[in-house]
Amino acid sequence: MERSAAGGRNPWIIAVVISIATFMEVLDTSIANVALRHIAGGLAASQDESSWVLTSYLVSNAVILPVSGWLSSVIGRKRFYMMSVALFTVSSLGCALSTSLGMLIGFRVLQGLGGGGLAPSEQSMLADSFPPAKRGLAFAVYGVAVIVAPTIGPTLGGWITDHSSWHWIFLINIPVGIASLLLVQWLVHEPAVLEKERKALVRNGIKVDYIGFALVALWLGCLEVVLDRGQIDDWFSSPFIVVFSILSALALILLIPWELLRKDPIFDVGLIFRRQFGTSCFVMLAVGMILFGSTQFIPQLLQENYGYNATWSGLALMPGGVVMLFLVMLAGRLTSVIQPKYLITFGMAVIALSLYHMAHLTPEANYSTFAWARIYQTIGLPFIFIPITAASYDGLPPEKTGQAASLINVARNLGGSIGISMATTVLDRREQFHQSRLSEHIASTSLTYQNTLNAMTSYFNHQPGGAGDANSRAIALIGQTVQTQASLLSYFDVFMMLGVIAAIASVLTLIVMRHVDMNKSHAG
């Protein structure tokens, strides 16, 4: 294949090599989420201030993702990819050596710029290096990085923060980044046809779509700020959030006609209006919401309501990651023989059922219960991610693979931000609701409340030194129990919300996504 990144080498080696950097980048993102409290403490910052460590990365990552396909065509795919790996690695070192919050945020911006260029370049290399019939298996190898890394992240992040300094969550990127650069330089090939296209582009004069880039940056950058800061700043009661929401909406309204009318758009909006690719982006958006939302909130639930430390809350996700490792290759093989729409529908249905199961756990749930609940959920993920990644390129001309890879990753990352933002808001609002409703049952006129209060007061009266304030301690314990139950119920509401999203995506995929011509794929 003339556009292959393998050259004369085995393309499976290339698939493994180019997945290393994305594994590093996705792993780093999930680890940073776990370690945020430790970072805040280490840099003498408040929890609110330290959240900019995450926001700054998401904003810069979102800005570079949609234009990375264009940058790759201008700079050269391999060269752009190596520049992205190098920037991510160097900025990781800067993050690790940061002595102030401002310094850390600055390096996180650079890290986001580097990380945003990785996944689109890798996916376009895979799409060009494998015929359609083998893309499912190729993306299965890549899927190990994108799907399994968020599962390992909380476990590794928990262990690091429990046993060492937060600086190590960034230092572990250095050897991985260096290894990736060396292997890519040695093994990855820059196809002559791509270099020819790049030189022709340069010779004809590079027409930079400055307005398009500015609109993309304003749209996604402001949107990420709104999603990440919305709940913290009380959404639209904050002038800051209102202004950024208006800027994001105006930028999107202007962006669509501007890019559609341009001959050489920096952001190919037209791809979204293709039925197959547009559906793929929607499903990937839902996958991001579910994957990132559940991965962040399961460890949080275990730490806040079940008394787990960071290490053990991460370990509860580990069995699901192991199961995915085995299922990823199976999903890759099935993608070449079963219509992707059916695999995606099946995967979404499994996730919807698993989240429904998680929404009905009990306060007595143990480690085994959570490990199995996560396994049920992760069974469906490979049957979504692998087929949707492969199906998204169906019917696209080869020169569009770079832009397509950028957009599909924008959908995944944006979905993750939306999912986490929605889940955070639902968690907070529903906890207030449940606490209010449960408190109605502890009125002084309630016979059940009086019996419980008397029983607890009697218990504390028999404890050493408890006779003097037994009644106060009993009232405090009842209040704490109500708060704990309200918190637990609010987490269950989050899981139910994500389950409903999965169910809707399952039905829409079955209805809207068209069939892929499997005979053509095998012929390709």
Side-chain angles (χ1 to χ4, degrees):
M1 299 180 68
E2 59 179 356
R3 303 178 73 90
S4 173
R9 296 184 173 89
N10 188 329
W12 294 105
I13 297 176
I14 306 304
V16 173
V17 167
I18 64 178
S19 298
I20 293 174
T22 283
F23 185 86
M24 170 185 68
E25 188 260 342
V26 177
L27 184 69
D28 181 84
T29 303
S30 56
I31 289 178
N33 292 339
V34 174
L36 193 60
R37 293 180 183 177
H38 296 263
I39 293 173
L43 297 177
S46 68
Q47 189 73 18
D48 182 31
E49 292 172 334
S50 66
S51 67
W52 282 102
V53 173
L54 303 181
T55 304
S56 59
Y57 181 89
L58 292 172
V59 170
S60 61
N61 195 268
V63 167
I64 203 67
L65 261 175
V67 300
S68 59
W70 181 84
L71 288 172
S72 180
S73 64
V74 171
I75 299 173
R77 188 167 64 184
K78 178 180 176 179
R79 190 177 297 112
F80 174 69
Y81 179 69
M82 293 187 69
M83 288 172 61
S84 298
V85 175
L87 179 59
F88 187 89
T89 305
V90 172
S91 56
S92 294
L93 179 61
C95 289
L97 299 177
S98 295
T99 55
S100 67
L101 183 63
M103 183 178 177
L104 177 58
I105 290 173
F107 279 113
R108 283 287 283 175
V109 170
L110 295 177
Q111 198 181 38
L113 293 175
L118 297 179
S121 301
E122 291 165 355
Q123 288 187 14
S124 65
M125 288 181 192
L126 289 176
D128 287 343
S129 300
F130 289 87
K134 293 184 178 180
R135 281 180 187 167
L137 279 173
F139 283 118
V141 175
Y142 176 76
V144 172
V146 177
I147 298 178
V148 177
T151 303
I152 297 176
T155 305
L156 182 59
W159 188 88
I160 290 174
T161 53
D162 282 342
H163 297 89
S164 186
S165 165
W166 64 266
H167 299 276
W168 281 98
I169 69 174
F170 299 111
L171 286 173
I172 59 175
N173 295 333
I174 311 304
V176 180
I178 292 173
S180 175
L181 283 171
L182 293 174
L183 289 172
V184 169
Q185 174 61 28
W186 176 33
L187 296 171
V188 175
H189 170 70
E190 181 74 349
V193 64
L194 291 185
E195 186 62 21
K196 183 179 179 181
E197 290 174 0
R198 188 188 72 82
K199 289 180 178 179
L201 188 65
V202 174
R203 186 168 54 251
N204 294 332
I206 300 174
K207 301 174 183 177
V208 182
D209 181 11
Y210 292 108
I211 294 178
F213 179 79
L215 290 173
V216 169
L218 196 61
W219 166 45
L220 287 174
C222 290
L223 181 58
E224 285 290 351
V225 171
V226 169
L227 292 172
D228 203 53
R229 302 286 304 180
Q231 180 59 24
I232 297 173
D233 294 337
D234 198 20
W235 291 105
F236 298 108
S237 62
S238 165
F240 175 80
I241 295 298
V242 171
V243 169
F244 272 73
S245 298
I246 293 173
L247 288 174
S248 179
L250 286 176
L252 178 60
I253 292 171
L254 295 173
L255 173 67
I256 294 175
W258 174 265
E259 293 298 280
L260 286 176
L261 295 174
R262 284 190 65 85
K263 184 179 179 181
D264 50 349
I266 198 169
F267 180 69
D268 198 345
V269 179
L271 290 176
I272 300 293
F273 296 99
R274 288 173 174 255
R275 176 180 169 181
Q276 184 79 342
F277 187 78
T279 306
S280 299
C281 284
F282 169 78
V283 177
M284 188 61 83
L285 187 82
V287 171
M289 294 173 68
I290 296 163
L291 177 62
F292 287 93
S294 61
T295 301
Q296 175 163 322
F297 280 85
I298 292 175
Q300 188 173 309
L301 167 65
L302 291 173
Q303 291 179 54
E304 291 185 1
N305 292 83
Y306 289 87
Y308 285 55
N309 61 19
T311 301
W312 278 99
S313 63
L315 284 171
L317 304 182
M318 183 64 75
V322 175
V323 170
M324 276 195 291
L325 279 173
F326 288 100
L327 291 180
V328 158
M329 299 310 295
L330 173 62
R333 288 187 177 278
L334 291 177
T335 299
S336 63
V337 295
I338 299 177
Q339 283 294 325
K341 64 182 294 182
Y342 298 130
L343 292 175
I344 296 166
T345 300
F346 166 76
M348 280 294 186
V350 169
I351 288 178
L353 290 172
S354 68
L355 287 167
Y356 177 82
H357 166 70
M358 292 186 71
H360 292 82
L361 297 175
T362 66
E364 293 76 30
N366 55 22
Y367 174 84
S368 176
T369 304
F370 283 101
W372 277 107
R374 183 62 174 179
I375 288 173
Y376 298 150
Q377 182 186 0
T378 54
I379 286 174
L381 281 172
F383 297 99
I384 301 171
F385 180 79
I386 308 304
I388 200 64
T389 306
S392 61
Y393 295 97
D394 178 59
L396 294 182
E399 64 272 12
K400 295 289 185 180
T401 56
Q403 284 277 4
S406 298
L407 291 175
I408 206 74
N409 279 280
V410 168
R412 177 173 60 86
N413 282 21
L414 188 58
S417 297
I418 294 173
I420 292 172
S421 180
M422 286 178 61
T424 302
T425 302
V426 168
L427 186 70
D428 184 69
R429 304 291 168 86
R430 294 298 291 177
E431 184 174 355
Q432 294 175 16
F433 168 80
H434 288 302
Q435 190 162 353
S436 174
R437 294 301 302 271
L438 291 172
S439 297
E440 295 174 359
H441 298 281
I442 58 173
S444 59
T445 55
S446 169
L447 183 60
T448 303
Y449 170 69
Q450 288 296 334
N451 291 336
T452 303
L453 180 61
N454 291 335
M456 289 186 173
T457 301
S458 175
Y459 169 79
F460 285 119
N461 271 325
H462 290 85
Q463 299 301 310
D469 60 347
N471 186 256
S472 298
R473 293 170 69 185
I475 293 174
L477 181 58
I478 291 174
Q480 182 181 355
T481 303
V482 168
Q483 186 173 359
T484 300
Q485 290 180 348
S487 174
L488 193 61
L489 289 171
S490 65
Y491 276 104
F492 294 164
D493 289 341
V494 168
F495 296 139
M496 183 63 77
M497 177 198 70
L498 294 175
V500 170
I501 292 171
I504 293 172
S506 176
V507 174
L508 287 179
T509 299
L510 189 62
I511 296 173
V512 178
M513 182 170 282
R514 66 179 177 81
H515 283 252
V516 175
D517 189 344
M518 306 302 290
N519 293 326
K520 179 181 177 181
S521 295
H522 283 285

